[in-house]
Amino acid sequence: MEFLGLSLALFGAALAAALSGIGSAIGIGIAGGSAAGVMTEDPNKFGSCLILQALPGTQGIYGLLITFFVLNKLGLLGGAGAVALTWNQGLQIFASCMPIAIVGWISAIYQGKTSAASIMMISKKPEAMGKAIILPAMVETYAVLALLTSILMLMGVQVG
Amino acid sequence: MGVAKLKKAELYYHKSVHEEIAAALQETGVCQIIGDAEGGPASVEALRAESEAAVADVRYLMRTLTPHFNDPISSLDRTLGERPIVSMSDLSKLARETDLSSICTKVRGLEHAIGEGKLELSQARTNQALLESFRFLPYPLSAITEGTRTLTGVAGVVKADQLKTLQAALSEFSKDSELVLEPHDEKAQDIHLVLFLTRQRASEILEACVRKGLSVLDVPAEFKGTVEEERAKLATSIAALEDREASLLKDMENEAETWMPSVQKLSDYWNSLTERYTALGKSGETDRTLLTRFWVPAKDAETVQKKIEAISPNVAFFLSDPGADEEPPALLQNGKYVRPFNILTELYSPPKYRGIDPTPLLAPFFFLFFGMCLGDAGYAIVMLAAIWWLFRKYRRVPLGIRDFIVLFAFSAVSTFVYGIISGSFFGNFIDSFLPFLVPVKNALMLVDPMTNPMQVLGISLLLGVIHLMFGLLIAAYDNFRNGQAIDAIGANISWFLLIVGLCLMGVAMGGMVPPHFQCIVQAMAIIGAVIIFWYAGREKSGIFSKIISGFLALYGSTSYLGDILSYSRLLALGFGSAVIGMIINLLGGMAAAIPYVGWVVAVVVIVGGHLFSILINILGAFVHPLRLQYVEFFGKFYTGGGEPFTPLTLSEEFVSVKP
């Protein structure tokens, strides 16, 4: 049971990157479908479509960020050697990863749907680009809050 | 500052000079014509019809020739102002010399020929594939296409698993049929075959075969010789068709090269003219005169008047202020430091003519918030260098785009400052690779989000409170200005007192302030709450509904809590870009440990990684502060809803028109 703490922490880190990455991939996929549809009609919209398609991609980056944060905290980067963790500490780190893992995953999907709708909007009204960017960003708020929660929780966990 | 004062102009002039007048108004580019285009003067109608026909021709040519045209000016260069400079008189000369309809006829002919050629070629390729399948046939194809006196041939294909049943069915007619099969092995899926039948029973047998899975293939009647002979003939004709297609495409490219530069110029010319005549069509008329009404910024009115009066003595020009019942369009007019932020207001919705222009109010906050979200001195240097290079390379960037780029230059400045005070330079590049600079970095650091995020969170939320309270005060000012003092106090000042009071109470609880101050802030909060309570219930009848709506209004304070917490994104995004930078440096450092090629990999990882990080974080640092303006800040006082000022201008998509 010596490594249970470390394993739990790594499990959390893996979920943070994996779930939010899955969410972003789905979200970008949904938005990409709409973008391709719009671009068959008007290839000149590539630039604005790409920006809108990229918006649900940030959750994956937030997840990755938390994963690196955890790996860094555990001393697994840079060859310093892993710190010893009790299972309790491991569970704390696992819990800290959950906000971004879960919220990142689901919010990216909904952000993708909003982005897809925004892409449809600029296909009809290219001048509404500002509004089209803001609508998906409203969804992202909750991923940002989850990221913040994960960061603050991780900072609070004492290891080593 | 703010929404520009407009004048309403009424211009009466003789019909003989209507072209010159309209051209002058268009060239000034500051007149928005009023009226609708229905039932305009007949003489203008004819001109407009002519220019619209030319626009249709130009559009057709652009659409058809663009795929064949290798434009020497890239569309990015064009957008950034690298367009040929021409004058309107050059353009009208070009328009007179260019016979658009004959070019159209020629291009249409070519387009048609290319289309037909494609069709023939695809037919020929289908036939080629068909012949390929029947190479096993030892007889001339005339046996199928013509037959003999007694026999007729049918080409067909059958699925491998149905071949047995087909053969069984044919065995009943063995006297009247002969089957020639394509040589095949077990893996074959489709088997081609030729069936020879006696003429008197042909249709009967064929029907039976089709029921057993035979698909009849149509062999074109022109095939008479052996399969090999026909294949050779077909190959020659395909080669000829391909040659012809290539030469037609070449012709098309030549046409594009010859005409596209002119067509692009004419596109701007005819579009300008169509705009002009559409605007002119909004005029009123008598027998000999026209009346055009338009909005013009007060500061430009005199210039326009002089320009018009120089054209003809037979004009009358009257200026008046907009009437109280009129809603003129809104033109944002701000000084050079605020003007780049106009686009942020315009993206939301321009203000009403008599409303508040929020641009100067949001500008400092957007500037600050962008800096905090990107928050890296290194990234700021990259941004500034890119912008410097862009302005060096492109000297004629159009005004709107120039403002947008300048907005990013401003944002980069605040990013640089925040990067310095938070100690972020390409993430933790200094700590990782330039250890001798660490003391300098540390000496300049005022906040440290990495080790003390609560401090930056506190700053973020405090900025949020300031931003929101500022919004409330603007709303109060706006209400006072419109004579709604009760609303200003009940809906704005009251909340200001409550929120500020509560925040200061929080500070006071920390024990950092003297006790009498605590009394004052408590009083502030209580007065605020009482006013909110009273204001919400003031129009309700009955004590009960007054109390209920009062409490409901106070419950609305939760939305302020949400608004304030929303500013925590300033910490999260700034932190995010710093950590992404750190990860990239870490990966770069790890890559550097690879023997021999390590440093190459490290450079690629660090340069590529930071470029990616800059792009993705600029997007975030633009979108999120913008959201704070639109949702949290504007929510307090601004609804927009004005009409943007859209003056009659020359179309300058492909050329810059020289005055």
Side-chain angles (χ1 to χ4, degrees):
Chain A
M1 297 294 273
E2 189 188 346
F3 292 112
L4 181 59
L6 188 63
S7 306
L8 279 171
L10 283 178
F11 187 38
L15 286 182
L19 292 186
S20 58
I22 290 172
S24 278
I26 297 175
I28 289 187
I30 294 170
S34 292
V38 168
M39 276 188 284
T40 41
E41 287 290 315
D42 184 0
N44 293 331
K45 295 224 165 68
F46 178 68
S48 20
C49 282
L50 191 72
I51 290 179
L52 287 169
Q53 197 199 349
L55 287 176
T58 32
Q59 278 86 343
I61 296 173
Y62 297 155
L64 179 77
L65 199 148
I66 290 300
T67 304
F68 270 89
F69 209 106
V70 173
L71 295 183
N72 203 25
K73 204 172 175 74
L74 299 179
L76 292 174
L77 293 174
V83 297
L85 284 186
T86 64
W87 70 269
N88 235 319
Q89 289 169 324
L91 199 57
Q92 286 166 12
I93 291 184
F94 180 86
S96 311
C97 292
M98 286 306 104
I100 193 58
I102 298 168
V103 180
W105 169 34
I106 295 170
S107 72
I109 297 173
Y110 281 95
Q111 195 176 354
K113 289 182 181 171
T114 317
S115 277
S118 281
I119 288 170
M120 288 304 175
M121 182 166 113
I122 59 154
S123 76
K124 292 257 166 71
K125 293 189 184 306
E127 69 279 2
M129 184 66 189
K131 299 175 183 85
I133 286 184
I134 289 298
L135 295 181
M138 300 294 285
V139 183
E140 190 173 311
T141 300
Y142 301 98
V144 175
L145 294 181
L147 169 71
L148 191 67
T149 313
S150 284
I151 289 174
L152 294 179
M153 286 171 79
L154 274 176
M155 292 211 146
V157 176
Q158 302 297 324
V159 299
Chain B
M1 294 285 271
V3 185
K5 287 266 164 284
L6 296 187
K7 293 273 185 190
K8 187 177 185 180
E10 292 193 346
L11 179 61
Y12 299 85
Y13 48 97
H14 194 260
K15 275 183 178 171
S16 61
V17 290
H18 72 260
E19 286 236 48
E20 289 84 347
I21 297 273
L25 291 180
Q26 190 171 28
E27 272 165 36
T28 60
V30 291
C31 307
Q32 177 174 338
I33 312 293
I34 307 170
D36 54 46
E38 293 305 308
S43 56
V44 178
E45 212 44 49
L47 287 169
R48 189 174 75 171
E50 185 200 343
S51 68
E52 273 174 355
V55 166
D57 281 347
V58 166
R59 284 213 185 117
Y60 167 76
L61 287 175
M62 297 278 280
R63 198 175 59 234
T64 317
L65 292 180
T66 304
H68 303 280
F69 182 54
N70 192 3
D71 199 334
I73 308 173
S74 74
S75 68
L76 178 69
D77 284 355
R78 235 184 249 293
T79 314
L80 292 171
E82 293 301 301
R83 301 180 279 228
I85 305 175
V86 293
S87 68
M88 271 316 256
S89 56
D90 293 342
L91 286 180
S92 72
K93 185 156 167 276
L94 182 68
R96 277 195 306 277
E97 285 166 356
T98 315
D99 184 359
L100 278 176
S101 63
S102 79
I103 304 172
C104 278
T105 314
K106 206 165 162 192
V107 171
R108 273 204 188 92
L110 270 176
E111 194 191 16
H112 188 69
I114 291 174
E116 286 208 325
K118 282 214 161 78
L119 204 65
E120 275 180 53
L121 200 56
S122 93
Q123 186 63 50
R125 291 208 170 107
T126 314
N127 288 341
Q128 198 176 30
L130 181 75
L131 288 179
E132 194 65 30
S133 313
F134 285 93
R135 288 180 72 178
F136 62 90
L137 188 70
Y139 316 115
L141 284 163
S142 59
I144 298 171
T145 50
E146 288 172 350
T148 64
R149 204 159 51 83
T150 53
L151 286 178
T152 176
V154 176
V157 61
V158 67
K159 295 258 174 269
D161 51 359
Q162 285 174 319
L163 183 61
K164 284 268 154 29
T165 39
L166 182 67
Q167 278 169 329
L170 275 173
S171 63
E172 285 177 34
F173 308 102
S174 56
K175 269 195 188 159
D176 294 297
S177 70
E178 177 68 41
L179 184 64
V180 184
L181 275 181
E182 178 184 18
H184 60 276
D185 51 25
E186 304 89 66
K187 278 185 254 164
Q189 291 186 328
D190 292 321
I191 295 159
H192 290 86
L193 53 83
V194 179
L195 201 53
F196 292 102
L197 307 166
T198 56
R199 281 200 187 267
Q200 60 271 48
R201 300 193 67 185
S203 59
E204 177 196 350
I205 302 173
L206 201 57
E207 209 174 297
C209 291
V210 168
R211 270 204 303 275
K212 296 294 176 196
L214 176 76
S215 311
V216 177
L217 295 175
D218 197 18
V219 178
E222 73 255 26
F223 293 146
K224 302 256 163 40
T226 64
V227 176
E228 291 307 319
E229 284 166 14
E230 293 295 341
R231 281 182 69 225
K233 265 196 247 169
L234 201 53
T236 331
S237 76
I238 284 179
L241 282 172
E242 282 171 344
D243 282 351
R244 200 180 72 185
E245 187 179 25
S247 93
L248 284 173
L249 285 175
K250 185 80 203 146
D251 287 351
M252 194 65 135
E253 271 172 35
N254 290 338
E255 293 296 325
E257 203 175 335
T258 318
W259 296 115
M260 269 306 269
S262 308
V263 169
Q264 288 177 335
K265 286 180 186 153
L266 290 178
S267 163
D268 276 345
Y269 178 75
W270 287 113
N271 276 316
S272 295
L273 250 56
T274 306
E275 289 286 311
R276 179 187 298 175
Y277 296 136
T278 308
L280 204 56
K282 294 174 181 172
S283 308
E285 66 173 335
T286 65
D287 280 350
R288 303 233 172 108
T289 58
L290 287 177
L291 162 61
T292 304
R293 295 187 182 84
F294 55 90
W295 296 114
V296 55
K299 69 176 173 64
D300 297 315
E302 205 181 327
T303 332
V304 173
Q305 182 168 10
K306 276 194 185 134
K307 193 157 181 169
I308 298 294
E309 283 168 353
I311 293 172
S312 157
N314 300 327
V315 298
F317 190 83
F318 301 105
L319 284 173
S320 59
D321 287 321
D325 55 336
E326 282 176 313
E327 183 58 47
L331 167 68
L332 300 183
Q333 210 161 53
N334 285 302
K336 65 175 171 178
Y337 293 112
V338 176
R339 201 184 61 207
F341 294 88
N342 282 354
I343 187 165
L344 303 182
T345 303
E346 280 156 7
L347 277 175
Y348 184 85
S349 169
K352 288 207 159 43
Y353 178 69
R354 293 175 186 82
I356 290 180
D357 173 12
T359 316
L361 310 169
L362 69 80
F365 290 102
F366 183 84
F367 176 75
L368 185 65
F369 293 167
F370 187 103
M372 288 182 74
C373 287
L374 190 55
D376 188 292
Y379 292 178
I381 292 173
V382 173
M383 278 172 81
L384 287 172
I387 291 168
W388 176 80
W389 172 84
L390 200 111
F391 279 135
R392 244 180 77 88
K393 175 153 190 246
Y394 298 102
R395 300 287 184 176
R396 297 189 279 138
V397 182
L399 202 61
I401 296 171
R402 171 178 293 268
D403 278 351
F404 195 55
I405 297 171
V406 170
L407 176 65
F408 278 96
F410 284 173
S411 306
V413 170
S414 81
T415 303
F416 182 79
V417 174
Y418 187 76
I420 295 285
I421 64 175
S422 66
S424 192
F425 180 82
F426 293 107
N428 63 348
F429 194 80
I430 292 181
D431 300 76
S432 302
F433 303 109
L434 306 167
F436 58 95
L437 283 175
V438 169
V440 182
K441 184 201 83 173
N442 287 346
L444 293 171
M445 265 171 80
L446 295 177
V447 294
D448 188 356
M450 299 301 267
T451 55
N452 190 1
M454 296 312 287
Q455 181 194 20
V456 181
L457 183 62
I459 295 173
S460 302
L461 299 184
L462 179 66
L463 284 172
V465 173
I466 295 173
H467 199 203
L468 292 172
M469 292 308 110
F470 186 52
L472 277 179
L473 291 182
I474 300 166
Y477 164 77
D478 200 27
N479 274 331
F480 274 123
R481 203 177 64 133
N482 295 330
Q484 292 154 322
I486 294 188
D487 292 321
I489 292 169
N492 311 132
I493 301 285
S494 57
W495 281 106
F496 179 83
L497 289 174
L498 178 63
I499 305 290
V500 174
L502 286 176
C503 290
L504 290 177
M505 269 163 74
V507 175
M509 262 184 247
M512 290 172 281
V513 285
H516 58 269
F517 180 75
Q518 215 164 340
C519 281
I520 297 176
V521 297
Q522 271 170 1
M524 260 177 91
I526 291 167
I527 292 172
V530 168
I531 300 176
I532 293 166
F533 200 89
W534 161 77
Y535 179 76
R538 77 192 188 290
E539 276 168 5
K540 296 280 189 294
S541 57
I543 189 82
F544 249 147
S545 46
K546 270 185 200 295
I547 291 176
I548 289 173
S549 42
F551 275 115
L552 276 179
L554 282 176
Y555 183 70
S557 54
T558 49
S559 80
Y560 279 86
L561 186 68
D563 283 353
I564 294 170
L565 285 180
S566 181
Y567 288 80
S568 63
R569 77 186 68 225
L570 296 178
L571 162 69
L573 288 167
F575 197 89
S577 47
V579 174
I580 291 173
M582 194 182 86
I583 294 169
I584 292 162
N585 293 333
L586 198 73
L587 293 178
M590 285 156 82
I594 302 169
Y596 306 115
V597 293
W599 62 274
V600 181
V601 182
V603 168
V604 171
V605 167
I606 289 176
V607 172
H610 281 302
L611 277 180
F612 168 77
S613 168
I614 290 175
L615 291 179
I616 200 88
N617 282 311
I618 285 180
L619 185 60
F622 183 76
V623 166
H624 285 278
L626 200 58
R627 175 227 139 98
L628 290 177
Q629 310 297 336
Y630 287 176
V631 180
E632 275 77 12
F633 189 52
F634 281 6
K636 300 287 166 285
F637 71 98
Y638 183 69
T639 48
E643 283 295 317
F645 182 67
T646 44
L648 173 64
T649 52
L650 293 167
S651 160
E652 290 185 298
E653 197 184 344
F654 296 101
V655 297
S656 297
V657 178
K658 175 170 69 182

